[in-house]
């Protein structure tokens, strides 16, 4: 046992355990490796109290510790030996700390962990070490910004759509191997809020949930609307309007009954907003989020039931009308969800403004969409296809969607002659037929083809059975296709690429820090900066020519669309909003009143037992001419997937050619290593594109390079 370990134990008032550490040959070399080794710590320090103290002290030591080579390079004012070449071999940072980062095994989980630990130490040193001059302060700010960007995990978003009873919750539970995570299986209840499922990346192994509520003002406004509509209906002699959808999952009366029970009958808005109704959820009144943390999925599910599910048969108070969204984090799913968010989405927007805006925002962020429908209704059911039709405008132009999958559920629900012992064959045969029919119907969806460049990988059909995946009584696990969806998520998760990108970025930042030690190459730095600025300017000019071409094409499309909208506005308003096909034209004045009240949107009241009526948006209908005429142009220049766009090609092929500069100026190779690994260089280009389209008037397109040159 060396003096280092003995000194630390004495410093932490744990001297009585020195002999234990000596027997187990704990030295300075392996002392820090004890972090997280519970069995070893239990043997070294049996009592809970002292062991907890040791763990806390050791964690603080490891978080604050940084290798001498890394610590030495944190100051941009450091010096280096004149004439010494800053190659990887001569650089203590590159030869020591980053060696673990740039090996041939990039992409392993432990590489990511090591990389994050190193960057955490660097960040801690930056925060704890005061800057002694303005240039040092600017350098620290630049590094802190780059580390923050590096630590930001841009996750893939998988949106799961489907009507009530389609089996979305059970599907998610099965894919994640969580039997009772999301409530499911009750025919009288349905999921009524947006649920976001992520991986819990902490070490506590807990199931957590965070509930975000709408504001009191938003709920009061919604109550006023509901009661006003109710009063209007009572005094109206109009017949019921025609409807064009399925029975709704819940109506406005259900919202009142869920939260207030019998107290909601005939009550005024003021009475309904009384704080006594919300005493069980003080977070709503305080404008805070409510949090839960449990050890088991079943425990969390029980806690969340009132916030997630609309149940007409329950006598208990339910809080889902006040919930904006719920974020659930579960442990031990890193291979599926480390870089993915699964979102269980209601099929439509919501009459509540904030929930509706969040729905549209989330749909626009979806990189993958799953449409869920029972297999025996997958083609004939209108709801699933209408959800896709209504969402496509948010998924396409301006959205991020790159693939759509149609998931046929409950494949085990089939009538066969059991005496013939052909149940499995019948299920698999029907699955193949269902896939063919769904693909045929998808190929007829013209609106989707207008928005996307569709290739063979864009659309897939899965036929699944969540029940059989658990029981295995008739189907084998591979027959249920749950493993296929799990593999789909693993491929989307792409942990290896994410890890490689992180390590590459970390290596670049560390190289920049070490390069900043050199203070004897002012002339070289100035010359290199001039070359870089010239290359960037030339690249932007080339790109600008293509952007001018795109701008002109869009301007022509939009101008034609505006003229067409003006010429046909009355017909569009009548045929698509006021009296669309399939309606009888009754309730004309109610529609106009709703359009005026809701900024051009008709929001029909939801009545118990009636079929759903679609929301009608006059603004969207009038803009359809411009959108339709620009579809092909948008796909040409900014496709959601593929690289067949001239603009995408120019961006992908743009380079500062740092390799040639390294050969000419090896003394600034570490700076150039940073630029080579810095994917943020594309920020310069993208901001220039935005400026061309008048989305940004800032001069941000030179920010990275100018800041970089300033700290060189």
């Amino acid at each position: 046992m060396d003096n280092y370990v003995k000194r630390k134990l004495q410093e932490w008032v744990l001297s009585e355990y020195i002999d234990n550490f000596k027997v187990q040959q704990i030295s300075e070399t392996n002392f820090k490796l004890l972090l997280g080794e519970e069995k070893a710590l239990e043997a070294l320090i049996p009592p809970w109290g002292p062991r907890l103290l040791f763990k806390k002290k050791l964690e603080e030591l490891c978080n604050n510790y940084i290798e001498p080579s890394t610590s030495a390079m944190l100051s941009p004012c450091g010096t280096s030996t004149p004439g010494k070449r800053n190659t990887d071999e001569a650089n203590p940072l590159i030869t020591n700390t980053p060696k673990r980062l740039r090996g041939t095994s990039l992409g392993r989980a432990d590489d990511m962990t090591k990389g994050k630990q190193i960057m955490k130490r660097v960040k801690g040193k930056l925060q704890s070490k005061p800057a002694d001059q303005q240039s040092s302060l600017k350098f620290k700010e630049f590094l802190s910004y780059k580390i923050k960007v590096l630590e930001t995990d841009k996750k893939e978003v998988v949106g799961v759509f489907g009507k009530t009873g389609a089996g979305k919750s059970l599907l998610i539970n099965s894919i994640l191997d969580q039997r009772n995570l999301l409530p499911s299986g009750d025919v009288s209840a349905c999921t009524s809020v947006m649920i976001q499922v992520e991986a819990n990346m902490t070490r506590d192994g807990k199931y957590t949930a965070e509930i975000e509520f709408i504001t009191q003002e938003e709920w009061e406004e919604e109550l006023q609307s509901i009661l006003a509509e109710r009063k209007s209906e009572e005094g109206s002699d109009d017949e019921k309007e025609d409807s064009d959808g399925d029975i709704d999952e819940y109506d406005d009366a259900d919202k009142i009954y869920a939260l207030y029970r019998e107290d909601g009958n005939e009550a005024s808005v003021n009475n309904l907003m009384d704080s006594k109704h919300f005493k069980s959820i003080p977070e709503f009144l305080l404008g805070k989020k409510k949090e839960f943390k449990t050890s088991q999925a079943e425990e969390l599910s029980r806690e969340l039931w009132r916030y997630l599910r609309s149940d007409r048969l329950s006598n208990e108070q339910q809080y889902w009308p006040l919930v904006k969204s719920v974020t659930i984090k579960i442990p031990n799913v890193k291979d599926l969800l480390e870089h993915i968010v699964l979102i269980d989405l209601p099929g439509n927007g919501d009459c509540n403004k904030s929930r509706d805006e969040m729905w549209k925002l989330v749909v626009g962020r979806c990189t993958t969409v799953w449409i869920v429908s029972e297999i025996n209704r997958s083609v004939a059911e209108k709801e699933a296809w209408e959800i896709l039709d209504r969402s496509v405008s948010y998924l396409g132009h301006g959205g991020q969607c790159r693939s759509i999958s149609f998931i046929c559920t409950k494949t085990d629900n089939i009538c066969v002659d059991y005496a013939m012992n052909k149940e499995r064959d019948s299920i698999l045969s029907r699955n193949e037929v269902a896939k063919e029919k769904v693909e045929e119907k998808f190929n007829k969806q013209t609106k989707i083809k207008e928005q996307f460049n569709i290739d063979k990988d864009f659309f897939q059909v899965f036929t699944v059975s969540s029940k059989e995946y658990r029981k295995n009584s008739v189907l084998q696990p591979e027959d249920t296709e749950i493993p296929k969806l799990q593999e789909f998520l693993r491929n989307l998760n792409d942990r290896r690429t994410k890890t490689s990108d992180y390590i590459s970025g970390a290596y670049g930042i560390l190289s920049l820090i070490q390069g900043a030690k050199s203070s004897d190459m002012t002339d070289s730095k100035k010359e290199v900066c001039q070359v870089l600025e010239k290359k960037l300017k030339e690249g932007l000019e080339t790109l600008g020519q293509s952007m001018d071409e795109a701008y002109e094409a869009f301007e022509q499309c939009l101008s034609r669309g505006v003229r067409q909208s003006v010429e046909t506005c009355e017909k569009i308003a009548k045929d698509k909003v006021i009296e669309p096909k399939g309606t009888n034209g009754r309730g004309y004045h109610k529609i106009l009143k709703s359009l005026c009240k809701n900024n051009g949107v008709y929001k029909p009241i939801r009545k118990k037992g009636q079929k759903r009526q679609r929301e009608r948006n006059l603004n969207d209908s009038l803009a359809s001419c411009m959108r339709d005429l620009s579809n092909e142009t948008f796909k040409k220049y900014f496709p959601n997937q593929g690289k067949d766009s001239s603009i995408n090609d120019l961006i992908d092929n743009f380079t500062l050619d740092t390799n040639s500069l390294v050969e000419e100026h090896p003394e600034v190779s570490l700076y150039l290593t940073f630029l080579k690994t810095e994917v943020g260089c594309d920020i310069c280009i993208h901001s220039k594109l935005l400026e061309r389209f008048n989305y940004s008037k800032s001069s941000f397109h030179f920010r990275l390079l100018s800041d970089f040159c300033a700290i060189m």
Side-chain angles (χ1 to χ4, degrees):
M1 178 178 179
D2 55 27
N3 290 330
Y4 176 83
V5 176
K6 182 178 180 179
R7 188 172 65 253
K8 284 298 177 186
L9 292 175
Q10 291 173 338
E11 181 183 329
W12 298 346
V13 197
L14 296 169
S15 302
E16 58 188 290
Y17 303 105
I18 290 176
D19 290 340
N20 293 357
F21 281 73
K22 185 176 182 180
V23 170
Q24 298 300 331
Q25 299 180 3
I26 304 300
S27 64
E28 182 177 5
T29 305
N30 54 31
F31 185 67
K32 297 180 182 66
L33 298 179
L34 289 172
L35 186 64
E37 298 294 334
E38 294 297 329
K39 290 184 178 180
L41 289 178
E42 187 176 353
L44 291 167
I45 308 177
W48 265 100
R51 186 159 78 248
L52 290 174
L53 174 62
F54 178 85
K55 287 168 63 177
K56 182 176 183 296
K57 292 291 187 180
L58 183 61
E59 186 174 344
E60 291 175 353
L61 177 66
C62 290
N63 287 341
N64 292 330
Y65 175 78
I66 189 164
E67 291 87 347
S69 58
T70 309
S71 179
M73 61 154 188
L74 284 175
S75 171
C77 303
T79 59
S80 61
T81 304
K84 187 174 182 178
R85 181 174 175 176
N86 283 308
T87 61
D88 285 4
E89 291 73 19
N91 188 330
L93 170 65
I94 307 304
T95 55
N96 294 327
T97 304
K99 183 179 291 184
R100 293 168 288 178
L101 303 183
R102 57 193 181 104
T104 57
S105 61
L106 279 181
R108 297 185 313 179
D110 59 341
D111 287 333
M112 175 72 92
T113 302
K114 292 174 183 176
K116 285 184 175 289
Q117 288 174 349
I118 291 173
M119 297 313 294
K120 184 176 181 179
R121 297 170 196 165
V122 172
K123 186 177 179 180
K125 278 291 182 179
L126 286 172
Q127 293 173 344
S128 63
K129 193 169 184 178
D132 53 2
Q133 55 182 324
Q134 186 63 31
S135 60
S136 178
L137 176 62
K138 189 170 184 178
F139 180 72
K140 287 180 62 176
E141 290 175 347
F142 182 81
L143 288 175
S144 297
Y145 169 74
K146 298 315 300 178
I147 294 174
K148 181 179 179 181
V149 172
L150 180 67
E151 297 291 341
T152 302
D153 184 11
K154 188 178 183 300
K155 296 190 175 185
E156 302 283 342
V157 179
V158 178
V160 186
F161 296 80
K163 67 167 292 184
T164 296
K168 291 185 298 175
S169 298
L170 188 58
L171 174 69
I172 293 174
N173 288 347
S174 299
I175 291 173
L176 301 179
D177 284 322
Q178 302 287 331
R179 182 174 291 273
N180 296 307
L181 178 64
L182 300 183
S184 63
D186 192 336
V187 296
S188 68
C190 66
T191 303
S192 303
V193 303
M194 186 184 303
I195 304 173
Q196 183 167 304
V197 183
E198 305 177 13
N200 182 358
M201 299 301 294
T202 65
R203 296 181 179 179
D204 63 7
K206 299 290 186 180
Y207 292 81
T208 68
E210 185 178 81
I211 300 172
E212 182 179 1
F213 298 98
I214 61 175
T215 65
Q216 292 185 64
E217 292 75 18
E218 288 169 340
W219 179 237
E220 183 174 3
E221 182 180 343
E222 191 168 344
L223 286 175
Q224 290 173 344
S225 177
I226 292 173
L227 297 187
E229 290 287 352
R230 180 186 292 177
K231 185 176 181 180
S232 174
E233 288 297 316
E234 291 173 354
S236 173
D237 295 328
D238 289 336
E239 297 180 25
K240 292 180 179 179
E241 295 178 47
D242 295 334
S243 55
D244 53 2
D246 294 329
I247 297 293
D248 205 354
E249 294 92 343
Y250 59 86
D251 54 32
D252 290 330
D254 287 327
K255 289 185 178 181
I256 300 295
Y257 183 74
L259 192 58
Y260 300 103
R261 321 315 286 171
E262 302 299 335
D263 292 343
N265 296 333
E266 308 300 328
S268 66
V269 172
N270 287 337
N271 289 335
L272 295 177
M273 288 302 298
D274 193 297
S275 60
K276 67 180 181 181
H277 297 297
F278 313 106
K279 59 184 179 182
S280 299
I281 43 172
E283 294 85 357
F284 169 70
L285 297 175
L286 297 172
K288 295 182 177 180
K289 295 179 180 179
K290 190 173 185 68
E291 297 179 352
F292 292 102
K293 180 179 286 191
T294 66
S295 299
Q296 301 295 328
E298 293 84 349
E299 295 178 54
L300 186 65
S301 183
R302 286 194 296 269
E303 294 282 6
L304 292 178
W305 181 85
R306 293 186 180 192
Y307 300 90
L308 301 182
R309 307 275 282 173
S310 166
D311 190 346
R312 295 183 174 100
L313 301 184
S314 173
N315 293 320
E316 297 183 54
Q317 185 182 22
Q318 299 162 36
Y319 309 127
W320 57 265
L322 304 177
V323 175
K324 186 175 182 180
S325 67
V326 177
T327 299
I328 297 174
K329 296 185 178 182
I330 60 178
N332 306 318
V333 289
K334 291 174 65 173
D335 63 322
L336 294 177
L337 296 184
E338 182 174 2
H339 306 293
I340 291 178
V341 178
L342 272 178
I343 303 184
D344 185 350
L345 286 153
N348 307 276
D350 194 283
C351 62
N352 176 271
K353 184 178 179 181
S354 65
R355 280 193 296 255
D356 189 54
E357 289 177 350
M358 174 172 275
W359 184 89
K360 293 175 181 177
L361 178 65
V362 170
V363 171
R365 287 173 47 219
C366 289
T367 50
T368 297
V369 169
W370 289 354
I371 304 295
V372 182
S373 177
E374 294 181 48
I375 190 168
N376 56 6
R377 305 181 64 189
S378 57
V379 176
E381 181 182 76
K382 292 174 60 178
E383 181 80 1
W385 296 96
E386 286 178 352
I387 290 173
L388 182 57
D389 184 66
R390 284 193 290 270
S391 305
V392 71
S393 60
Y394 301 103
L395 297 168
H397 303 336
Q400 301 179 38
C401 182
R402 298 192 299 273
S403 72
I404 296 175
S405 296
F406 201 101
I407 301 176
C408 304
T409 59
K410 304 182 182 180
T411 60
D412 58 289
N413 187 7
I414 191 172
C415 295
V416 296
D417 185 351
Y418 290 96
M420 298 297 291
N421 196 29
K422 291 184 177 180
E423 186 174 2
R424 178 175 179 270
D425 292 341
S426 298
I427 291 173
L428 297 181
S429 177
R430 184 181 64 170
N431 289 353
E432 292 304 314
V433 172
K435 287 183 178 182
E436 291 178 6
K437 291 185 176 180
V438 169
E439 287 178 353
E440 287 177 5
K441 184 157 186 175
F442 179 81
N443 290 331
K444 296 177 182 178
Q445 306 301 307
T446 57
K447 192 172 181 179
I448 295 176
K449 292 182 178 180
E450 291 173 353
Q451 298 276 333
F452 297 98
N453 291 325
I454 298 176
D455 56 28
K456 62 181 180 64
D457 298 321
F458 181 77
F459 183 72
Q460 298 183 69
V461 183
F462 297 89
T463 49
V464 307
S465 171
S466 299
K467 289 184 178 179
E468 277 298 311
Y469 177 69
R470 294 176 178 176
K471 295 194 307 181
N472 294 329
S473 59
V474 177
L475 301 176
Q476 297 299 313
E478 60 270 19
D479 295 334
T480 69
E481 297 201 356
I482 293 294
K484 283 188 177 181
L485 288 171
Q486 291 172 334
E487 188 61 25
F488 182 99
L489 289 181
R490 287 191 185 95
N491 292 333
L492 192 63
N493 198 24
D494 198 4
R495 297 178 70 195
R496 182 177 178 84
T497 299
K498 291 280 188 179
T499 300
S500 180
D501 290 345
Y502 182 92
I503 300 305
S504 176
Y507 178 61
I509 292 173
L510 293 173
S511 297
L512 176 62
I513 294 174
Q514 180 66 5
K517 290 177 58 181
S518 305
S519 60
D520 58 336
M521 341 170 216
T522 305
D523 293 338
S524 295
K525 292 177 182 178
K526 185 176 181 180
E527 182 180 346
V528 169
C529 279
Q530 290 174 346
V531 173
L532 290 172
E533 288 177 344
K534 181 181 178 181
K535 289 185 176 183
L536 180 61
K537 185 177 180 180
E538 291 172 351
L540 288 175
E541 287 177 353
T542 302
L543 194 57
Q545 294 173 2
S546 295
M547 291 305 302
D548 288 337
E549 177 188 328
Y551 187 93
E552 184 178 348
F554 276 108
E555 190 173 43
Q556 291 177 1
C557 293
L558 295 175
S559 297
R560 290 201 307 270
V562 169
R563 290 194 297 270
Q564 195 176 104
S565 294
V566 172
E567 294 168 359
T568 61
C569 60
E570 292 184 8
K571 187 176 187 304
I572 290 174
K574 180 182 178 182
D575 294 347
K576 292 188 177 182
V577 180
I578 298 173
E579 193 178 341
K581 184 179 179 180
T583 62
N584 56 23
R586 292 190 177 94
Y588 180 92
H589 67 285
K590 289 183 182 178
I591 296 174
L592 291 180
K593 181 179 178 181
S594 179
L595 291 173
C596 295
K597 180 181 178 181
N598 298 307
N599 300 315
V601 180
Y602 168 56
K603 299 181 178 182
I605 188 171
R606 302 176 178 182
K607 302 176 186 177
K608 191 179 293 291
Q610 274 191 269
K611 291 183 177 181
R612 177 197 303 277
Q613 293 186 65
R614 284 196 197 183
E615 179 180 281
R616 305 175 199 170
N617 192 318
L618 180 60
N619 307 310
D620 186 67
S621 298
L622 292 174
S624 63
C625 296
M626 291 178 282
R627 188 169 56 247
D628 293 344
L629 287 170
S630 62
N631 278 334
E632 290 302 320
T633 304
F634 206 103
K635 284 198 299 183
K636 175 183 177 182
Y637 290 104
F638 303 107
N640 280 54
Q641 71 286 336
K643 295 186 177 181
D644 54 352
S645 160
S646 59
I647 292 178
N648 276 346
D649 286 342
L650 284 170
I651 292 175
D652 291 339
N653 295 329
F654 178 83
T655 176
L656 292 173
D657 191 18
T658 55
N659 288 335
S660 63
L661 286 173
V662 169
E663 295 177 2
E664 298 173 15
H665 302 277
E667 67 277 6
V668 293
S669 60
L670 291 173
Y671 288 102
L672 296 171
T673 296
F674 165 74
L675 276 183
K676 185 176 181 179
T677 60
E678 180 55 44
V679 295
C681 285
D682 283 349
I683 293 175
C684 310
I685 303 168
H686 287 297
S687 59
K688 186 66 177 179
L689 305 189
L690 294 176
E691 186 180 353
R692 287 264 173 182
F693 277 98
N694 295 321
Y695 293 136
S696 170
K697 294 297 183 181
S698 70
S699 57
F700 181 69
H701 53 282
F702 276 113
R703 173 180 171 181
L704 175 70
L705 196 54
S706 61
D707 283 356
F708 173 75
C709 291
I711 57 93
M712 278 185 69

